Amino acid sequence: MASSSTSLGPSPSSTTMSQTRQSPRLEFPGSISDTWLSEKAILITGGASGFGLACVRRWALAKATVIFADISASGPSLQASLRASTKNENIHFVRCDVAVWEDQVRLFKEAVRLSPHGGIDSVIANAGITDRHPTFENPVGLDTESPPPPDLACLDVNLKGVVYTSHLALFWLKRNPGSAPASASADPDALKRDRHLLLVGSIASLGPIPLQAFYGASKHAVLGLFRCLRATSFVHGVRVSFIAPYFIDTPIIPASGRMLLAGAEMGKTEDVVEAMTRFVADPRIVGRAVCVAPRLRTKRLEGGGECLAPVGDPAAEEKAIWEVNADDFETVEVWNRRMIGILNAAEIAKGWIGWASDLFGALKYGLGLGVSRR
């Protein structure tokens, strides 16, 4: 059991970080109290298998109300078994195809109805699939009279579905009865209501996955969505977080993927659950992202950073959860930093007169005046 004094790392120094209400950097491992979860109403998509199901079980044991959605036919039986094994009757399955807008609208309305307090504290956009029959990079038969389009099911679930979930979450979270705008200074012991959106990406959000172009593109897009939302979600009082699991031994990895990963380390479901639970339980974490990797023994370097530690090194520590995209509002890749610097300098050089002139031009454009007609 932990108190609300758990450290979140050094205080932020960036003005932009404070403007977007981003919390300080994370430190893992970090302990939480199950009391921080016990009265929450949590909605998770893709909750009938893999680490989605593991999270449902973990939160059910903490006596949270959990509404888990999935397209799986096993949902009703899972609901019954979870209620029996966790002695928690507030576990509810709702069948939902996340790629169908009407299904998601119904899901959120049902979640609000099932919630003991009539609202949702945390939404986890977890549903995802791989491209089981990737043909995009090997097109054939496109010279026929009516060539078939590529199969976009992976994009429909992983991107469109996440967009639907996020859009609905931003609407319903700020209407959560008894909740207050998210704040990095919140007291987890005192705060029972929350407004939290957790986006589940993948290691494919951070790097390429050969022969899985649609999966990689969709997961890159989820990371992009997170990076945009964390800069603006404070307007709704919503905190947004992101997790990128490495290859985890779950049903999403097909046999072909397992063959490619033969001999390589895989991540642990329990580490993904730990990170997701930390995000859901701790209202002080705002706008942060982690990657869950295989458990590795590393050590810190004198000049900063870490490296794989030799076997038997007494200074080594086991680590699986790493913060990623932590520096968006502090520093950026060299080319971006230089270009942003040039653009900022140009804006300063134009001054207020230039700003007013551009604003007047924008107003004229909006009125249809001064627009080139060809």
Side-chain angles (χ1 to χ4, degrees):
M1 303 287 281
S3 71
S4 58
S5 62
T6 305
S7 173
L8 288 177
S11 300
S13 58
S14 166
T15 301
T16 307
M17 284 176 64
S18 61
Q19 289 175 346
T20 58
R21 317 295 200 271
Q22 187 178 11
S23 61
R25 294 191 180 201
L26 289 171
E27 292 179 356
F28 278 91
S31 58
I32 61 169
S33 167
D34 276 5
T35 60
W36 299 357
L37 287 164
S38 61
E39 295 185 28
K40 292 189 185 296
I42 306 167
L43 187 161
I44 180 171
T45 63
S49 65
F51 46 76
L53 177 57
C55 283
V56 173
R57 184 175 289 109
R58 168 70 177 86
W59 303 334
L61 286 168
K63 304 307 177 186
T65 294
V66 186
I67 298 93
F68 69 105
D70 207 292
I71 200 170
S72 173
S74 65
S77 60
L78 282 173
Q79 173 184 286
S81 64
L82 284 165
R83 286 179 175 180
S85 63
T86 63
K87 296 180 173 57
N88 183 348
E89 290 298 311
N90 288 323
I91 309 302
H92 309 281
F93 170 75
V94 178
R95 190 186 185 283
C96 175
D97 181 345
V98 294
V100 177
W101 171 249
E102 292 77 11
D103 274 21
Q104 291 225 41
V105 169
R106 180 176 55 83
L107 166 65
F108 274 79
K109 290 181 178 179
E110 186 69 0
V112 170
R113 186 187 70 82
L114 292 167
S115 167
H117 73 277
I120 307 170
D121 294 298
S122 191
V123 175
I124 297 87
N126 173 64
I129 61 173
T130 55
D131 192 350
R132 295 286 178 164
H133 306 287
T135 59
F136 172 72
E137 297 175 56
N138 185 33
V140 295
L142 301 187
D143 54 353
T144 61
E145 183 176 347
S146 299
D151 182 356
L152 301 182
C154 185
L155 292 174
D156 287 342
V157 173
N158 296 1
L159 179 52
K160 187 169 73 173
V162 170
V163 169
Y164 284 171
T165 304
S166 302
H167 190 55
L168 287 159
L170 290 173
F171 177 86
W172 285 106
L173 287 171
K174 66 181 179 182
R175 289 166 172 78
N176 186 20
S179 67
S183 171
S185 61
D187 180 356
D189 290 315
L191 191 68
K192 299 304 180 185
R193 302 276 68 86
D194 202 354
R195 303 178 186 177
H196 174 232
L197 171 62
L198 171 56
L199 301 178
V200 179
S202 160
I203 191 66
S205 300
L206 309 173
I209 303 292
L211 302 179
Q212 282 289 329
F214 286 168
Y215 183 78
S218 65
K219 291 301 185 179
H220 271 69
V222 173
L223 175 59
L225 180 64
F226 160 73
R227 294 174 71 183
C228 292
L229 284 180
R230 73 167 165 184
T232 58
S233 64
F234 69 88
V235 174
H236 304 285
V238 174
R239 62 187 186 95
V240 182
S241 44
F242 174 87
I243 184 170
Y246 187 69
F247 299 106
I248 310 293
D249 188 8
T250 67
I252 199 171
I253 303 180
S256 57
R258 294 169 186 271
M259 291 175 65
L260 290 172
L261 291 169
E265 294 286 341
M266 294 185 74
K268 304 290 186 183
T269 295
E270 51 265 40
D271 292 327
V272 179
V273 173
E274 177 193 346
M276 293 175 71
T277 301
R278 176 94 181 273
F279 278 137
V280 170
D282 195 337
R284 299 169 300 172
I285 302 175
V286 183
R288 288 296 176 181
V290 297
C291 174
V292 181
R295 294 179 181 177
L296 302 171
R297 294 189 63 78
T298 65
K299 68 175 183 180
R300 299 184 184 276
L301 300 173
E302 289 186 7
E306 297 178 69
C307 69
L308 193 65
V311 177
D313 191 328
E317 58 180 3
E318 189 174 70
K319 187 172 182 179
I321 305 172
W322 306 73
E323 188 164 18
V324 295
N325 288 100
D327 304 317
D328 281 2
F329 301 133
E330 295 181 275
T331 185
V332 292
E333 187 268 335
V334 173
W335 187 89
N336 288 350
R337 184 172 62 185
R338 289 172 179 167
M339 178 52 64
I340 290 171
I342 291 171
L343 293 173
N344 286 340
E347 183 178 344
I348 292 170
K350 290 180 73 172
W352 285 103
I353 295 176
W355 174 83
S357 176
D358 288 347
L359 183 61
F360 181 67
L363 291 171
K364 286 175 61 180
Y365 185 90
L367 295 171
L369 304 173
V371 180
S372 174
R373 305 289 185 186
R374 296 184 182 178

